Amino acid sequence: MGVAAPLDERKAAVSASGIDPLIELVAPGMERVNAVILSRVGSDVAMVPEIATHLIASGGKRLRPMLTLATAALCGYSGEGDVKLAASVEFMHTATLLHDDVVDGSEMRRGKLAARMLWGNGASVLVGDFLLGQAFKMMVEVGSLEALRILADAAAVIAEGEVMQLAVAKNMATSEDDYLAVVRGKTAALFAAACEVGPVIAARPAAEQAAARDYGMNLGVAFQLVDDALDYGGLEADLGKKVGDDFREGKITLPVVIAYREGAEDERAFWRRALEDGRIDDGDLEQAIRLLRRHGAIEATLEQARRYGAAARGALAPFPNRPVVHALTEVVDFVTARAH
Amino acid sequence: MGVAAPLDERKAAVSASGIDPLIELVAPGMERVNAVILSRVGSDVAMVPEIATHLIASGGKRLRPMLTLATAALCGYSGEGDVKLAASVEFMHTATLLHDDVVDGSEMRRGKLAARMLWGNGASVLVGDFLLGQAFKMMVEVGSLEALRILADAAAVIAEGEVMQLAVAKNMATSEDDYLAVVRGKTAALFAAACEVGPVIAARPAAEQAAARDYGMNLGVAFQLVDDALDYGGLEADLGKKVGDDFREGKITLPVVIAYREGAEDERAFWRRALEDGRIDDGDLEQAIRLLRRHGAIEATLEQARRYGAAARGALAPFPNRPVVHALTEVVDFVTARAH
């Protein structure tokens, strides 16, 4: 294992190299998005904004709403609909996180106690539902049926992807293709939708809509694969959750699929015991990381992420708007560089 | 306590007196609604239709989608949008039930094991999310932004009502007004929306839209109050769940609010121990029922339900279509007569 750079230094290096142009580009829009978010978590029922704000204010990057603003800008959109759609996308994401933490029994989220640990599973489920309802209300206000179709479709596909993940959890027979289908659903579908609605509200041709969607889908897959690598990679503070969460929850992710495929029979027995039977002893996470490294599984996962990243960059070819294309290209580097 | 009539006899009596005209009126439409429901629970992820169908096929009355078809007919609607909106309403209702069972930790639903007991809390949450996504997709296909606004608003209000219920649970200071606010959210909002979208897709004036909404809202409150009375009333098999669920879950419903308000100090101490502290011993449910009867709390709750029922009937006044008005009036009687 290499020696990790001190956190602040690493963060500074990463952020100078990648996400800054996007942040700068969408800063005025994101101010309005944040104002909309704050106004739309309001409710006479005090627990609703308490829970929603606990998560929303906990320092997520807000990458998805930034992508909506950027792809709208990419297509020369000049209305106000992008702001509400971006806020809708963030609400959908937040709802997903609230529900995921219940599904996974997670204790932490973004370095803080998960909402369910403070207010209970029930309230987390219900506030997620509230945010979904608010998201659809905002989409209706924007008035684009096509944007509504895209985001409603994403909502269903995300849930399907998560159910698929439950089905493949604890099953070492999961193939790389199975796992990539999970990732396209649970993570990449929302990235794709967030990017696709930009050209849609700008009333651009279908080819540009498809290209923006491709960009988002590929970026989303890359993002998840890097996350999977990081979950075994030791960048705990950066992720805001403990290393080894996926391992403890019996999640079969790409690094594990690769190490299992390449592993000897005694290694496979180890993975089956830990992830299928859920019998995890002290030192097992360290052993898992050793096996992943022995077969280059982390490197292979990151190599896959880079391939999806290259596809995301390629999808931007049809767009002539250089500053936005530059910012979106840099985001790909930011996402794939997180693991280095 | 009165002697309950044998179940089959009671069911026959109730159904002859009330819901039959509605069932007959919407039968052709409901066949199409049921076909849409079956086609839209489909997914490549096998667990999704398994869970959804477990609940959807478990013999709910499908009252809400029938109301959508009936209010569309009330306004002379002749298109196909009512069928998809009705299916959307049923999906929203099913999603709510899946989530509620997780929130309440319920073991039974409609006389069968709750989905969460068979597939787990996580899968129940996620399949609920999937159904919500599918519901919004169907609404988009219908293409009425106003119907979308109404149903998205209902989704948020339902969740708010449920959170409010969590907040008032275990709190004997809950007033009648507090509780009625919960009911308007968690139950009546979907009845109201289901009825309001009928005139909306029929492009009727705002007054008719408001009248249909009033009908649904008042019917929904009546429906919930009767349910609350039944939960202490001994019609177990008819409800498909055990009597006393609300009591065991510490839910403060109208019968309890009334009995607590009217009760002596030792009775109040009983309610606080059982519902606030959750310390329930053998015989406590019977004691609760005795206290409710001593103060006429069940009768007072049903009297309230009848008042809301009368308001629902009154809301139908502007509509000239006699057969549909008759069917919708009879539904009110059906809903309020369930407790007798």
Side-chain angles (χ1 to χ4, degrees), chain B residues 304-325:
Chain B
Q304 273 273 39
R306 280 189 293 272
R307 274 200 288 272
Y308 281 96
R313 271 193 297 271
L316 295 172
F319 296 100
N321 186 328
R322 286 302 111 194
V324 186
V325 166

PDB file of all heavy atoms in Angstrom, chain B residues 304-325:
ATOM      1  N   GLN B 304     -68.698  11.749  13.550  1.00  0.00           N
ATOM      2  CA  GLN B 304     -67.821  12.646  12.776  1.00  0.00           C
ATOM      3  C   GLN B 304     -67.694  12.146  11.337  1.00  0.00           C
ATOM      4  O   GLN B 304     -67.757  12.916  10.386  1.00  0.00           O
ATOM      5  CB  GLN B 304     -66.412  12.682  13.386  1.00  0.00           C
ATOM      6  CG  GLN B 304     -66.221  13.700  14.480  1.00  0.00           C
ATOM      7  CD  GLN B 304     -65.821  15.049  13.897  1.00  0.00           C
ATOM      8  OE1 GLN B 304     -66.338  15.452  12.850  1.00  0.00           O
ATOM      9  NE2 GLN B 304     -64.942  15.750  14.577  1.00  0.00           N
ATOM     10  N   ALA B 305     -67.499  10.843  11.195  1.00  0.00           N
ATOM     11  CA  ALA B 305     -67.359  10.269   9.851  1.00  0.00           C
ATOM     12  C   ALA B 305     -68.618  10.546   9.036  1.00  0.00           C
ATOM     13  O   ALA B 305     -68.548  10.883   7.850  1.00  0.00           O
ATOM     14  CB  ALA B 305     -67.093   8.764   9.944  1.00  0.00           C
ATOM     15  N   ARG B 306     -69.772  10.435   9.689  1.00  0.00           N
ATOM     16  CA  ARG B 306     -71.023  10.695   8.964  1.00  0.00           C
ATOM     17  C   ARG B 306     -71.120  12.166   8.546  1.00  0.00           C
ATOM     18  O   ARG B 306     -71.629  12.494   7.474  1.00  0.00           O
ATOM     19  CB  ARG B 306     -72.227  10.281   9.805  1.00  0.00           C
ATOM     20  CG  ARG B 306     -72.496   8.767   9.774  1.00  0.00           C
ATOM     21  CD  ARG B 306     -73.815   8.398  10.433  1.00  0.00           C
ATOM     22  NE  ARG B 306     -73.803   8.653  11.874  1.00  0.00           N
ATOM     23  CZ  ARG B 306     -73.376   7.774  12.788  1.00  0.00           C
ATOM     24  NH1 ARG B 306     -72.937   6.582  12.424  1.00  0.00           N
ATOM     25  NH2 ARG B 306     -73.405   8.077  14.068  1.00  0.00           N
ATOM     26  N   ARG B 307     -70.612  13.056   9.402  1.00  0.00           N
ATOM     27  CA  ARG B 307     -70.628  14.469   9.029  1.00  0.00           C
ATOM     28  C   ARG B 307     -69.769  14.719   7.780  1.00  0.00           C
ATOM     29  O   ARG B 307     -70.169  15.429   6.870  1.00  0.00           O
ATOM     30  CB  ARG B 307     -70.131  15.341  10.197  1.00  0.00           C
ATOM     31  CG  ARG B 307     -71.250  15.719  11.178  1.00  0.00           C
ATOM     32  CD  ARG B 307     -70.868  16.945  12.010  1.00  0.00           C
ATOM     33  NE  ARG B 307     -69.834  16.623  12.996  1.00  0.00           N
ATOM     34  CZ  ARG B 307     -70.088  16.172  14.238  1.00  0.00           C
ATOM     35  NH1 ARG B 307     -71.333  16.005  14.637  1.00  0.00           N
ATOM     36  NH2 ARG B 307     -69.117  15.915  15.073  1.00  0.00           N
ATOM     37  N   TYR B 308     -68.562  14.128   7.779  1.00  0.00           N
ATOM     38  CA  TYR B 308     -67.727  14.268   6.576  1.00  0.00           C
ATOM     39  C   TYR B 308     -68.404  13.612   5.380  1.00  0.00           C
ATOM     40  O   TYR B 308     -68.325  14.112   4.249  1.00  0.00           O
ATOM     41  CB  TYR B 308     -66.329  13.685   6.809  1.00  0.00           C
ATOM     42  CG  TYR B 308     -65.440  14.630   7.599  1.00  0.00           C
ATOM     43  CD1 TYR B 308     -65.298  14.509   8.980  1.00  0.00           C
ATOM     44  CD2 TYR B 308     -64.757  15.657   6.948  1.00  0.00           C
ATOM     45  CE1 TYR B 308     -64.504  15.392   9.703  1.00  0.00           C
ATOM     46  CE2 TYR B 308     -63.961  16.542   7.656  1.00  0.00           C
ATOM     47  CZ  TYR B 308     -63.832  16.407   9.043  1.00  0.00           C
ATOM     48  OH  TYR B 308     -63.047  17.283   9.725  1.00  0.00           O
ATOM     49  N   GLY B 309     -69.070  12.505   5.616  1.00  0.00           N
ATOM     50  CA  GLY B 309     -69.794  11.842   4.531  1.00  0.00           C
ATOM     51  C   GLY B 309     -70.879  12.750   3.955  1.00  0.00           C
ATOM     52  O   GLY B 309     -71.052  12.824   2.726  1.00  0.00           O
ATOM     53  N   ALA B 310     -71.587  13.446   4.839  1.00  0.00           N
ATOM     54  CA  ALA B 310     -72.638  14.359   4.365  1.00  0.00           C
ATOM     55  C   ALA B 310     -72.022  15.480   3.530  1.00  0.00           C
ATOM     56  O   ALA B 310     -72.577  15.885   2.495  1.00  0.00           O
ATOM     57  CB  ALA B 310     -73.402  14.929   5.562  1.00  0.00           C
ATOM     58  N   ALA B 311     -70.853  15.968   3.958  1.00  0.00           N
ATOM     59  CA  ALA B 311     -70.170  17.012   3.181  1.00  0.00           C
ATOM     60  C   ALA B 311     -69.770  16.480   1.812  1.00  0.00           C
ATOM     61  O   ALA B 311     -69.852  17.192   0.798  1.00  0.00           O
ATOM     62  CB  ALA B 311     -68.952  17.518   3.947  1.00  0.00           C
ATOM     63  N   ALA B 312     -69.324  15.220   1.780  1.00  0.00           N
ATOM     64  CA  ALA B 312     -68.962  14.615   0.487  1.00  0.00           C
ATOM     65  C   ALA B 312     -70.180  14.566  -0.429  1.00  0.00           C
ATOM     66  O   ALA B 312     -70.114  14.949  -1.606  1.00  0.00           O
ATOM     67  CB  ALA B 312     -68.393  13.210   0.707  1.00  0.00           C
ATOM     68  N   ARG B 313     -71.300  14.121   0.110  1.00  0.00           N
ATOM     69  CA  ARG B 313     -72.533  14.075  -0.698  1.00  0.00           C
ATOM     70  C   ARG B 313     -72.900  15.470  -1.202  1.00  0.00           C
ATOM     71  O   ARG B 313     -73.255  15.651  -2.359  1.00  0.00           O
ATOM     72  CB  ARG B 313     -73.682  13.480   0.124  1.00  0.00           C
ATOM     73  CG  ARG B 313     -73.784  11.966   0.025  1.00  0.00           C
ATOM     74  CD  ARG B 313     -75.116  11.471   0.598  1.00  0.00           C
ATOM     75  NE  ARG B 313     -75.230  11.766   2.023  1.00  0.00           N
ATOM     76  CZ  ARG B 313     -74.815  10.959   3.000  1.00  0.00           C
ATOM     77  NH1 ARG B 313     -74.294   9.786   2.704  1.00  0.00           N
ATOM     78  NH2 ARG B 313     -74.928  11.305   4.262  1.00  0.00           N
ATOM     79  N   GLY B 314     -72.793  16.443  -0.296  1.00  0.00           N
ATOM     80  CA  GLY B 314     -73.145  17.814  -0.674  1.00  0.00           C
ATOM     81  C   GLY B 314     -72.277  18.350  -1.806  1.00  0.00           C
ATOM     82  O   GLY B 314     -72.746  19.116  -2.654  1.00  0.00           O
ATOM     83  N   ALA B 315     -71.015  17.918  -1.825  1.00  0.00           N
ATOM     84  CA  ALA B 315     -70.098  18.429  -2.850  1.00  0.00           C
ATOM     85  C   ALA B 315     -70.510  17.995  -4.253  1.00  0.00           C
ATOM     86  O   ALA B 315     -70.065  18.567  -5.254  1.00  0.00           O
ATOM     87  CB  ALA B 315     -68.672  17.972  -2.552  1.00  0.00           C
ATOM     88  N   LEU B 316     -71.363  16.981  -4.347  1.00  0.00           N
ATOM     89  CA  LEU B 316     -71.762  16.468  -5.662  1.00  0.00           C
ATOM     90  C   LEU B 316     -72.876  17.303  -6.295  1.00  0.00           C
ATOM     91  O   LEU B 316     -73.255  17.064  -7.455  1.00  0.00           O
ATOM     92  CB  LEU B 316     -72.212  15.005  -5.548  1.00  0.00           C
ATOM     93  CG  LEU B 316     -71.118  14.010  -5.128  1.00  0.00           C
ATOM     94  CD1 LEU B 316     -71.717  12.636  -4.856  1.00  0.00           C
ATOM     95  CD2 LEU B 316     -70.043  13.916  -6.211  1.00  0.00           C
ATOM     96  N   ALA B 317     -73.409  18.264  -5.532  1.00  0.00           N
ATOM     97  CA  ALA B 317     -74.564  19.032  -6.002  1.00  0.00           C
ATOM     98  C   ALA B 317     -74.416  19.643  -7.405  1.00  0.00           C
ATOM     99  O   ALA B 317     -75.367  19.608  -8.191  1.00  0.00           O
ATOM    100  CB  ALA B 317     -74.905  20.126  -4.981  1.00  0.00           C
ATOM    101  N   PRO B 318     -73.234  20.189  -7.750  1.00  0.00           N
ATOM    102  CA  PRO B 318     -73.161  20.853  -9.067  1.00  0.00           C
ATOM    103  C   PRO B 318     -73.249  19.910 -10.259  1.00  0.00           C
ATOM    104  O   PRO B 318     -73.325  20.380 -11.391  1.00  0.00           O
ATOM    105  CB  PRO B 318     -71.763  21.514  -9.058  1.00  0.00           C
ATOM    106  CG  PRO B 318     -71.255  21.437  -7.673  1.00  0.00           C
ATOM    107  CD  PRO B 318     -71.968  20.331  -6.996  1.00  0.00           C
ATOM    108  N   PHE B 319     -73.174  18.593 -10.012  1.00  0.00           N
ATOM    109  CA  PHE B 319     -73.030  17.692 -11.161  1.00  0.00           C
ATOM    110  C   PHE B 319     -74.384  17.143 -11.603  1.00  0.00           C
ATOM    111  O   PHE B 319     -75.128  16.588 -10.782  1.00  0.00           O
ATOM    112  CB  PHE B 319     -72.088  16.538 -10.817  1.00  0.00           C
ATOM    113  CG  PHE B 319     -70.688  17.007 -10.534  1.00  0.00           C
ATOM    114  CD1 PHE B 319     -70.238  17.141  -9.221  1.00  0.00           C
ATOM    115  CD2 PHE B 319     -69.839  17.336 -11.573  1.00  0.00           C
ATOM    116  CE1 PHE B 319     -68.952  17.582  -8.958  1.00  0.00           C
ATOM    117  CE2 PHE B 319     -68.554  17.779 -11.310  1.00  0.00           C
ATOM    118  CZ  PHE B 319     -68.108  17.903 -10.004  1.00  0.00           C
ATOM    119  N   PRO B 320     -74.703  17.267 -12.872  1.00  0.00           N
ATOM    120  CA  PRO B 320     -76.016  16.846 -13.362  1.00  0.00           C
ATOM    121  C   PRO B 320     -76.097  15.358 -13.733  1.00  0.00           C
ATOM    122  O   PRO B 320     -77.196  14.842 -13.886  1.00  0.00           O
ATOM    123  CB  PRO B 320     -76.202  17.701 -14.623  1.00  0.00           C
ATOM    124  CG  PRO B 320     -74.819  17.962 -15.115  1.00  0.00           C
ATOM    125  CD  PRO B 320     -73.901  17.912 -13.925  1.00  0.00           C
ATOM    126  N   ASN B 321     -74.966  14.689 -13.844  1.00  0.00           N
ATOM    127  CA  ASN B 321     -75.001  13.302 -14.351  1.00  0.00           C
ATOM    128  C   ASN B 321     -75.544  12.355 -13.290  1.00  0.00           C
ATOM    129  O   ASN B 321     -74.815  11.846 -12.433  1.00  0.00           O
ATOM    130  CB  ASN B 321     -73.587  12.900 -14.786  1.00  0.00           C
ATOM    131  CG  ASN B 321     -73.576  11.527 -15.445  1.00  0.00           C
ATOM    132  OD1 ASN B 321     -74.365  10.648 -15.103  1.00  0.00           O
ATOM    133  ND2 ASN B 321     -72.682  11.345 -16.397  1.00  0.00           N
ATOM    134  N   ARG B 322     -76.827  12.075 -13.340  1.00  0.00           N
ATOM    135  CA  ARG B 322     -77.500  11.360 -12.243  1.00  0.00           C
ATOM    136  C   ARG B 322     -76.936   9.967 -11.937  1.00  0.00           C
ATOM    137  O   ARG B 322     -76.719   9.659 -10.765  1.00  0.00           O
ATOM    138  CB  ARG B 322     -79.015  11.290 -12.507  1.00  0.00           C
ATOM    139  CG  ARG B 322     -79.742  12.623 -12.280  1.00  0.00           C
ATOM    140  CD  ARG B 322     -79.556  13.164 -10.866  1.00  0.00           C
ATOM    141  NE  ARG B 322     -78.735  14.364 -10.855  1.00  0.00           N
ATOM    142  CZ  ARG B 322     -78.202  14.882  -9.748  1.00  0.00           C
ATOM    143  NH1 ARG B 322     -78.393  14.326  -8.570  1.00  0.00           N
ATOM    144  NH2 ARG B 322     -77.441  15.954  -9.811  1.00  0.00           N
ATOM    145  N   PRO B 323     -76.717   9.093 -12.936  1.00  0.00           N
ATOM    146  CA  PRO B 323     -76.246   7.753 -12.547  1.00  0.00           C
ATOM    147  C   PRO B 323     -74.905   7.797 -11.809  1.00  0.00           C
ATOM    148  O   PRO B 323     -74.702   7.078 -10.829  1.00  0.00           O
ATOM    149  CB  PRO B 323     -76.117   7.014 -13.887  1.00  0.00           C
ATOM    150  CG  PRO B 323     -76.925   7.801 -14.869  1.00  0.00           C
ATOM    151  CD  PRO B 323     -76.941   9.217 -14.382  1.00  0.00           C
ATOM    152  N   VAL B 324     -73.986   8.657 -12.261  1.00  0.00           N
ATOM    153  CA  VAL B 324     -72.677   8.711 -11.591  1.00  0.00           C
ATOM    154  C   VAL B 324     -72.819   9.355 -10.212  1.00  0.00           C
ATOM    155  O   VAL B 324     -72.223   8.890  -9.237  1.00  0.00           O
ATOM    156  CB  VAL B 324     -71.638   9.485 -12.441  1.00  0.00           C
ATOM    157  CG1 VAL B 324     -70.267   9.383 -11.787  1.00  0.00           C
ATOM    158  CG2 VAL B 324     -71.595   8.951 -13.857  1.00  0.00           C
ATOM    159  N   VAL B 325     -73.623  10.407 -10.118  1.00  0.00           N
ATOM    160  CA  VAL B 325     -73.840  11.030  -8.812  1.00  0.00           C
ATOM    161  C   VAL B 325     -74.442  10.006  -7.843  1.00  0.00           C
ATOM    162  O   VAL B 325     -74.027   9.910  -6.679  1.00  0.00           O
ATOM    163  CB  VAL B 325     -74.768  12.267  -8.934  1.00  0.00           C
ATOM    164  CG1 VAL B 325     -75.263  12.714  -7.562  1.00  0.00           C
ATOM    165  CG2 VAL B 325     -74.035  13.407  -9.633  1.00  0.00           C
TER     166      VAL B 325
END
